[in-house]
Amino acid sequence: MDAAAHWQRYQDWLYYHEGLELYLDISRMGFDDAFVSQMQPKFEKAFADMEALENGAIANPDENRMVGHYWLRNPEIAPRDELKQEILENIERIENFARKIHGGEIHPPKASKFTDVLSIGIGGSALGPQFVSEALSPDFPPMNLHFIDNTDPAGIDSLLARIRDRLSTTLVLVISKSGGTPDTRNGAIEVQKAFEANGLDFSGHAVAITGHESALEKQALSEGWVATFPMHDWVGGRTSEMSAVGLVPAALQGIDIRALLAGAKAMDEATRRWELKENPAALLALSWYYAGNGRGEKDMVILPYKDSLLLFSRYLQQLVMESLGKEKDLDGNTVYQGIAVYGNKGSTDQHAYVQQLREGVPNFFATFIEVLEERRGTSPEVEPGVTTGDYLFGFLYGTREALYENQRDSITVTVPQVDARTVGALIALYDRAVGFYASLVNINAYHQPGVEAGKKAAAQVLQLQKQVVEILQKSAQPLSLEELAVRAGVGDRVEMIYKIVRHLDANGRGVKIEGNPRTPSSLHISAR
């Protein structure tokens, strides 16, 4: 295709949102008009499906739940008045809470003000707040925000060591819909013990963001925690950033949550359009479908050319992969759907994996995120007539052209600056694109049976661990791994037994291994 043809295709497929000043360019995706015509009936169904979703249709039949994260940024479209009122009141509560915290009206038991926020959550309860914090936190925020997002003892120790001198002025957010999510529960218990070890009353520092009548809400109310905020059962974790899950930590950091919501609302309005070329989320879904033949045959590489958007790829990794990674379609057929997502940032990637993107396995399509504003204020020149921002711009479009010259497809999303309104719009854009794509390939984007299966398997391992310890404590002599497996009633899981006793031995947890690790079957296991 010559330069004139490229220019015409760019104009034919360019999307621009005037209010958000957002551009979407899919002209470097290789589809043709015949493909677009072929996809039109699928999009008619996708538009109808999305309209039904927003009107309150049961979208998660596994749990008999509606999916209503779209209502959070526009309560007027909520299907019931009580939902609308609850959303509006919750936003006001969050803003008032943040003001009282910042002003010292709500303060810790032994100090005049809270200085830090420690957020404990997992998955969407961490990834969304982390992304928004990285993108939008002021250089000098009213409170320092920290995260425990894993059940890693060393990671928890490291975080608590860093804030040890400010523990007495730290507000703790415990984020879990049920209160029973092991990762979050474990983090909360460890933090509570740390408070107690320092002579501090944890309840005077703790906030619960959880489901109504959950075990966590009951604990918070009975122990007199500082506050509780709701996690609605019609909002999934990976789409919860516009709920209390994301808005509470954002507001405490001084981020304009009304602007975040307004940007998402504006994008939602744009992505309700039934005309393909006038709907940016539909254009994304079209491109994803084309790139992977509707079967996820190519990975999605996210390349934001802005430091503040570093975590966007991690946020999208969960949103896309948890939503679209499904074994069965809506008719029960085995389809193995999904799109793998990874990324880092430009221009860092010029010196990392762009070499493979340009010349290696062509198993991906790229998405460049461009920010027009270099910085607030004037940039100094690093060469005559050239700024650091010019280099960043050059790297982005140079990489885009280098990829396209070698038949690598790409999408470019351009925004005016990184602010709350723009970040809200980006979140909403990809929310809707995932919903459209799920409809195109006939899967349920709003459940996660694989995640639940992993949780059940983990619970079984922990139960087996308890059995192993009990057996060893009762045994008068050391046992082989095979004997231990038989006594535990899992004679076919000797490898798992070995992994359990090795873990316990390495951490001094009442188990001792003797013998040569190179020949596990010769080992002898006993209680310490």
Side-chain angles (χ1 to χ4, degrees):
M1 189 182 294
D2 62 23
H6 275 316
W7 173 234
Q8 187 58 53
R9 182 172 173 81
Y10 173 78
Q11 295 179 81
D12 290 343
W13 286 101
L14 177 65
Y15 172 84
Y16 177 67
H17 190 291
E18 185 173 352
L20 294 167
E21 299 177 69
L22 178 146
Y23 301 78
L24 174 63
D25 170 18
I26 63 169
S27 65
R28 292 304 190 266
M29 301 297 293
F31 59 83
D32 57 20
D33 290 344
F35 171 77
V36 176
S37 296
Q38 171 192 330
M39 294 297 295
Q40 285 292 350
K42 288 181 178 290
F43 272 102
E44 291 298 313
K45 178 180 180 299
F47 293 141
D49 287 347
M50 192 59 64
E51 190 171 284
L53 183 82
E54 287 197 329
N55 288 333
I58 298 298
N60 189 345
D62 293 357
E63 299 172 306
N64 193 37
R65 288 179 179 172
M66 301 180 291
V67 173
H69 52 274
Y70 298 106
W71 312 331
L72 295 170
R73 45 254 200 169
N74 185 5
E76 295 297 330
I77 67 170
R80 298 196 301 269
D81 286 343
E82 62 268 25
L83 291 179
K84 169 187 171 181
Q85 197 59 36
E86 183 181 2
I87 295 166
L88 291 171
E89 289 175 356
N90 195 45
I91 295 169
E92 289 186 8
R93 277 194 63 219
I94 291 169
E95 290 178 323
N96 289 334
F97 179 73
R99 275 195 293 269
K100 290 177 179 179
I101 291 288
H102 294 158
E105 186 176 342
I106 299 176
H107 58 85
K110 296 184 178 182
S112 60
K113 270 192 178 183
F114 285 105
T115 60
D116 292 68
V117 183
L118 173 53
S119 179
I120 306 173
I122 190 74
S125 296
L127 288 167
Q130 285 170 341
F131 163 53
V132 169
S133 174
E134 181 78 14
L136 299 176
S137 175
D139 292 334
F140 302 100
M143 304 178 77
N144 302 304
L145 180 58
H146 316 274
F147 293 92
I148 290 178
D149 62 355
N150 195 8
T151 184
D152 173 12
I156 294 171
D157 286 348
S158 177
L159 186 280
L160 290 175
R162 291 198 300 273
I163 64 171
R164 179 177 52 208
D165 295 339
R166 301 189 305 280
L167 203 61
S168 64
T169 56
T170 295
L171 184 71
V172 181
L173 310 179
V174 183
I175 308 175
S176 173
K177 185 176 288 187
S178 67
T181 304
D183 317 67
T184 305
R185 181 205 62 201
N186 294 352
I189 290 172
E190 290 228 14
V191 170
Q192 184 168 2
K193 289 181 181 298
F195 270 81
E196 291 169 354
N198 283 273
L200 300 170
D201 176 17
F202 180 70
S203 63
H205 296 254
V207 173
I209 302 176
T210 187
H212 181 52
E213 295 189 346
S214 70
L216 179 57
E217 184 186 59
K218 291 175 182 176
Q219 178 187 357
L221 294 175
S222 67
E223 295 179 1
W225 287 18
V226 176
T228 63
F229 293 94
M231 288 183 76
H232 310 289
D233 67 357
W234 35 265
V235 177
R238 57 192 175 277
T239 56
S240 64
E241 179 54 30
M242 305 293 173
S243 73
V245 169
L247 297 184
V248 171
L252 290 171
Q253 279 221 287
I255 294 168
D256 185 348
I257 63 173
R258 294 278 181 175
L260 193 73
L261 292 164
K265 178 183 177 182
M267 181 55 71
D268 285 342
E269 291 169 353
T271 56
R272 290 190 189 102
R273 300 284 298 270
W274 281 51
E275 300 85 358
L276 180 60
K277 284 192 173 185
E278 298 300 319
N279 187 319
L283 292 174
L284 280 180
L286 174 79
S287 300
W288 298 354
Y289 193 102
Y290 168 77
N293 291 320
R295 294 188 294 273
E297 293 175 358
K298 291 190 176 181
D299 301 342
M300 184 189 305
V301 181
I302 304 294
L303 301 172
Y305 277 66
K306 209 66 173 176
D307 287 355
S308 58
L309 297 179
L310 169 65
L311 296 183
F312 193 39
S313 60
R314 284 190 67 203
Y315 173 77
L316 292 181
Q317 194 169 64
Q318 185 195 15
L319 175 66
V320 174
M321 295 179 71
E322 191 170 345
S323 298
L324 302 182
K326 302 294 160 63
E327 180 180 353
K328 304 287 186 181
D329 68 10
L330 292 172
D331 300 319
N333 301 310
T334 299
V335 292
Y336 298 121
Q337 277 290 352
I339 301 175
V341 180
Y342 64 93
N344 191 3
K345 68 177 180 183
S347 66
T348 301
D349 289 298
Q350 315 306 127
H351 311 285
Y353 50 71
V354 165
Q355 169 63 30
Q356 177 166 317
L357 299 186
R358 174 64 166 75
E359 298 184 2
V361 183
N363 62 345
F364 72 93
F365 63 99
T367 300
F368 295 97
I369 312 291
E370 177 187 20
V371 180
L372 292 177
E373 182 183 77
E374 291 183 6
R375 57 159 41 106
R376 291 183 177 87
T378 304
S379 287
E381 294 183 355
V382 294
E383 296 173 12
V386 179
T387 68
T388 50
D390 294 336
Y391 266 101
L392 193 66
F393 168 78
F395 282 139
L396 189 161
Y397 280 101
T399 302
R400 175 177 178 265
E401 289 306 305
L403 294 182
Y404 191 68
E405 287 170 0
N406 224 19
Q407 291 77 54
R408 269 67 165 165
D409 287 342
S410 69
I411 299 163
T412 304
V413 178
T414 302
V415 295
Q417 65 274 317
V418 179
D419 60 14
R421 184 173 167 84
T422 296
V423 168
L426 286 173
I427 290 172
L429 172 62
Y430 278 85
D431 269 357
R432 188 83 70 168
V434 164
F436 282 146
Y437 185 89
S439 180
L440 296 180
V441 299
N442 195 39
I443 61 169
N444 183 353
Y446 305 105
H447 69 162
Q448 49 280 336
V451 175
E452 298 307 317
K455 290 179 181 178
K456 290 177 182 176
Q460 291 170 358
V461 170
L462 294 176
Q463 181 58 39
L464 183 57
Q465 178 177 297
K466 291 179 182 179
Q467 283 182 258
V468 166
V469 172
E470 290 174 2
I471 292 167
L472 290 171
Q473 289 173 342
K474 292 176 181 178
S475 178
Q477 58 187 15
L479 300 173
S480 70
L481 291 169
E482 288 79 3
E483 289 171 332
L484 194 49
V486 169
R487 293 195 187 189
V490 290
D492 58 342
R493 300 192 68 193
V494 180
E495 181 183 340
M496 191 69 250
I497 294 292
Y498 177 44
K499 300 293 176 59
I500 286 172
V501 297
R502 186 179 65 181
H503 163 70
L504 293 173
D505 178 60
N507 290 281
R509 300 274 301 285
V511 170
K512 182 180 180 181
I513 300 176
E514 293 181 309
N516 186 354
R518 288 179 63 87
T519 55
S521 62
S522 69
L523 298 176
H524 290 89
I525 323 299
S526 60
R528 285 185 183 271

